[in-house]
């Protein structure tokens, strides 16, 4: 009885993963098939009013930088205002107030709004800020972003079409060379922003505003129902609501907006958890509306794959758990692994296309792909948790922030007041890695064809767990006083005696 069930689950998971892998190849094909240079429209005769919104929560390392960048934007005199939407509970607020006062003294139209309580998190902060402005457009930059001075001058002309609700720009990476982890994240994000977003946009498919580094038409936000806090992916949610209302989104790959990627593995896992949970919440919220939309079946299928992208992680987990019973039974039956193997080329081909477009030496950047592959495999427990919480409606409004270091262009020591502790997913990764190793040992004797994939699953989980443990040890060392200080009775950083 166990073998037929395992065989079915294995085939189901393999088929689902193959679908996502093939779609990566399809999007890469669409990227090349629809390749066209976007011609910038002429500057408007009268520049519209714009409010720049800077949502901030406990970002002492980067808050002054983003305020300075916003204050330095070049735009028509008297047509630009800035809101610092500050929900912080630490000294970030005093830093932000001082920087706002500095720029106000120099003639910048900038205000600081602080909420003592933050119900609705970022979505509610943006919504409250929108009530305080009558600007025609709002630009949104998270605390770790650094827009170029000509950002608005390059983006606003693309709203000449009255049906354009939002314009998203391509994220660049301020700290891509900081570590192996930041290089791996940059490689994955480049695949999304260079290939996936461009292919979806140019093919008239549903795609999304990415939460930062873009501009919205205020009227479109209101028409789509405003910022809503019933998911933790308010950007994806508003994007789909606007498009379902007939609005268009535009993507500008030629306009960069610099940002930091998470400097720590714990921060990256938290970000991935939030994105996984939020996207599945949006899948639940919009699945029926997308199915009822008047667009083509192809457009609906692509929307489904877009919203369901993080389901690949629980599918990979099911594949792993079903492997041991199959190996004990002597292998799988009726599963075309050759098809799965071809689909597996989807992500690396997509990443290669992105780096070919961005760099004169793409192979140098692609050298980090093996680490990215192991890291993605090792996200099974973390991201499956996010998917399950999204599907089950657990903690629907719990928003976990991703801490930033501000350590651009240099190695980061790990000492930070925002350091995140190990969570239970690290121990789950160790358990899954051990399970995969045991299944691999069985497969070596009874089903050798399963061995390479099981070794990959074991390596990914154990590699991610080892990196997490090493990071936690470095943070512990950075937070501890030197041995000489401990012997001298000097207080530890938290004020206690060692």
């Amino acid at each position: 009885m166990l073998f037929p069930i395992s065989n079915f689950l294995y085939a189901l998971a393999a088929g689902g993963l193959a679908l996502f892998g093939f779609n990566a190849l399809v999007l890469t094909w669409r990227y090349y098939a629809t390749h066209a240079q976007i011609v910038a429209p002429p500057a408007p005769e009268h520049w519209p009013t714009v409010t720049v919104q800077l949502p901030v929560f406990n970002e002492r390392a980067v808050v002054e930088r983003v305020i300075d960048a916003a204050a330095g934007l070049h735009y028509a005199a008297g047509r630009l205002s800035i809101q610092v939407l500050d929900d912080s509970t630490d000294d970030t607020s005093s830093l932000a107030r001082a920087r706002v006062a500095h720029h106000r003294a120099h003639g910048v139209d900038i205000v600081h709004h602080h909420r003592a309580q933050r119900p609705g998190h970022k979505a509610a902060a943006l919504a409250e800020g929108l009530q305080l402005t009558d600007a025609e457009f709002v630009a949104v930059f998270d605390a770790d972003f650094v827009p170029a001075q000509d950002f608005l001058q390059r983006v606003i002309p693309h709203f000449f079409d009255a049906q354009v609700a939002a314009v998203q720009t391509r994220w660049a990476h301020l700290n891509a060379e900081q570590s192996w982890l930041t290089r791996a994240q940059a490689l994955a994000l480049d695949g999304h922003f260079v290939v996936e977003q461009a292919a979806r946009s140019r093919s008239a498919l549903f795609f999304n505003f990415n939460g930062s580094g873009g501009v919205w038409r205020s009227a479109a936000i209101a028409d789509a129902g405003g910022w809503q806090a019933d998911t933790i992916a308010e950007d994806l949610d508003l994007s789909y609501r606007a498009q379902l209302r007939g609005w268009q989104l535009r993507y500008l790959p030629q306009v960069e907006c610099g940002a930091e990627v998470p400097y720590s593995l714990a921060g990256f896992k938290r970000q991935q958890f939030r994105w996984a949970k939020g996207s599945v919440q949006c899948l639940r919220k919009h699945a029926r509306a997308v199915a009822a939309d008047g667009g083509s079946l192809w457009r609906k299928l692509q929307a489904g794959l877009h919203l369901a992208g993080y389901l690949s992680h629980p599918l990979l987990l099911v594949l792993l758990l079903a492997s041991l019973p199959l190996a004990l039974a002597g292998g799988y039956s009726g599963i075309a692994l050759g098809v799965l193997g071809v689909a597996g080329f989807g992500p690396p081909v997509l990443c290669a296309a992105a780096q070919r477009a961005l760099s004169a030496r793409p192979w140098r950047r692609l050298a980090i792909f093996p680490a990215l592959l192991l890291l993605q495999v090792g996200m099974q427990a973390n991201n499956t948790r996010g998917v399950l919480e999204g599907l089950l409606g657990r903690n629907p409004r719990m928003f976990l922030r991703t801490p930033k270091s501000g350590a651009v262009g240099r190695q980061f020591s790990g000492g930070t007041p925002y350091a995140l502790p190990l969570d239970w997913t690290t121990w789950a990764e160790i358990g899954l890695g051990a399970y995969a190793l045991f299944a691999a040992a069985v497969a070596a004797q009874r089903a050798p064809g399963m061995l390479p994939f099981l070794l990959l699953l074991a390596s990914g989980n154990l590699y991610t767990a080892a990196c997490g443990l090493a990071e936690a040890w470095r943070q512990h060392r950075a937070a501890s006083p030197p041995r000489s200080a401990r012997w001298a009775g000097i207080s530890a950083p938290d004020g206690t005696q060692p």
Side-chain angles (χ1 to χ4, degrees), residues 239-315:
S239 299
Y240 267 75
R241 282 189 280 118
Q243 290 170 103
L244 287 167
R245 290 280 297 170
W247 291 93
Q248 300 172 12
L249 270 62
R250 186 156 295 176
Y251 178 61
L252 301 182
Q254 74 274 25
V255 180
E256 291 185 357
C257 191
E260 287 189 33
V261 293
Y263 65 88
S264 69
L265 181 60
F268 173 66
K269 290 171 72 173
R270 175 173 284 193
Q271 182 190 70
Q272 288 293 299
F273 167 81
R274 189 175 71 247
W275 289 357
K277 180 176 178 177
S279 65
V280 171
Q281 287 178 321
C282 289
L283 175 64
R284 290 183 59 193
K285 182 174 181 178
H286 299 298
R288 289 186 179 180
V290 169
D293 182 57
S296 67
L297 180 60
W298 172 247
R299 190 168 186 257
K300 296 175 184 180
L301 173 62
Q302 283 297 321
L305 290 172
H306 181 212
L307 293 173
Y310 277 94
L311 293 182
S312 60
H313 295 276
L315 288 175

Side-chain angles (χ1 to χ4, degrees), residues 67-336:
I67 292 174
D68 290 345
L73 288 168
H74 292 169
Y75 199 65
R79 311 295 284 173
L80 177 65
S81 61
I82 303 169
Q83 298 175 339
V84 180
L85 305 174
D86 183 12
D87 288 354
S88 299
T89 58
D90 64 3
D91 61 349
T92 299
S93 293
S94 60
L95 295 172
R97 277 191 293 267
R99 208 65 201 149
V100 166
H102 167 81
H103 288 295
R104 284 187 67 84
H106 287 80
V108 178
D109 184 359
I110 182 171
V111 293
H112 177 262
H113 296 287
H114 182 258
R115 297 195 305 167
Q117 303 294 327
R118 55 189 308 256
H121 307 294
K122 179 181 175 181
L126 293 172
E128 288 190 22
L130 201 58
Q131 293 176 356
L132 302 174
T133 179
D134 58 0
E136 298 170 70
F137 297 93
V138 288
V140 181
F141 301 106
D142 286 345
D144 56 313
F145 277 68
V146 184
Q149 291 181 330
D150 64 349
F151 181 90
L152 293 176
Q153 294 171 325
R154 299 181 67 186
V155 170
I156 292 299
H158 290 273
F159 285 96
F160 73 93
D161 184 343
Q163 290 302 306
V164 173
V167 173
Q168 175 67 53
T169 65
R170 178 170 60 83
W171 291 5
H173 319 296
L174 299 174
N175 60 333
E177 298 302 320
Q178 194 172 17
S179 67
W180 72 268
L181 176 62
T182 58
R183 289 195 295 273
Q185 291 177 76
L187 182 64
L189 286 170
D190 285 343
H192 171 69
F193 279 97
V194 175
V195 177
E196 291 181 334
Q197 288 289 70
R200 290 190 175 107
S201 174
R202 296 196 300 240
S203 301
L205 302 174
F206 283 95
F207 76 104
N208 62 298
F209 170 68
N210 292 99
S212 183
V215 180
W216 274 90
R217 188 187 299 272
S218 299
I221 296 177
D223 181 69
W227 294 104
Q228 297 178 5
D230 56 347
T231 77
I232 58 172
E234 74 291 326
D235 46 7
L236 181 61
D237 173 36
L238 179 59
S239 299
Y240 267 75
R241 282 189 280 118
Q243 290 170 103
L244 287 167
R245 290 280 297 170
W247 291 93
Q248 300 172 12
L249 270 62
R250 186 156 295 176
Y251 178 61
L252 301 182
Q254 74 274 25
V255 180
E256 291 185 357
C257 191
E260 287 189 33
V261 293
Y263 65 88
S264 69
L265 181 60
F268 173 66
K269 290 171 72 173
R270 175 173 284 193
Q271 182 190 70
Q272 288 293 299
F273 167 81
R274 189 175 71 247
W275 289 357
K277 180 176 178 177
S279 65
V280 171
Q281 287 178 321
C282 289
L283 175 64
R284 290 183 59 193
K285 182 174 181 178
H286 299 298
R288 289 186 179 180
V290 169
D293 182 57
S296 67
L297 180 60
W298 172 247
R299 190 168 186 257
K300 296 175 184 180
L301 173 62
Q302 283 297 321
L305 290 172
H306 181 212
L307 293 173
Y310 277 94
L311 293 182
S312 60
H313 295 276
L315 288 175
L316 195 61
L317 181 58
V318 169
L319 203 68
L320 170 57
L321 296 178
S323 293
L324 179 57
L326 285 181
L328 288 169
Y332 37 79
S333 172
I335 303 172

Side-chain angles (χ1 to χ4, degrees), residues 36-68:
Q37 183 64 36
I38 299 176
V39 179
E45 184 177 349
H46 301 288
W47 289 90
T49 53
V50 177
T51 291
V52 173
Q53 295 186 315
L54 309 177
V56 174
F57 175 61
N58 293 357
E59 297 286 7
R60 63 174 65 153
V62 294
V63 66
E64 294 173 304
R65 184 180 67 188
V66 70
I67 292 174
D68 290 345

Side-chain angles (χ1 to χ4, degrees), residues 7-17 315 319:
N7 202 75
F8 171 76
L9 291 175
Y10 195 95
L12 183 67
L17 289 170
L315 288 175
L319 203 68

Side-chain angles (χ1 to χ4, degrees), residues 181 262-270 402-405 412-423 426 466-482 486 493:
L181 176 62
Y263 65 88
S264 69
L265 181 60
F268 173 66
K269 290 171 72 173
R270 175 173 284 193
T402 305
K404 315 299 188 305
S405 73
F412 187 64
S413 65
T416 169
Y418 300 136
L420 299 175
L422 281 176
D423 64 15
T426 300
C467 290
L469 291 171
E471 179 178 279
W473 174 247
R474 288 194 300 270
Q475 289 181 172
H476 172 74
R477 292 287 300 272
S480 300
R486 292 199 299 271

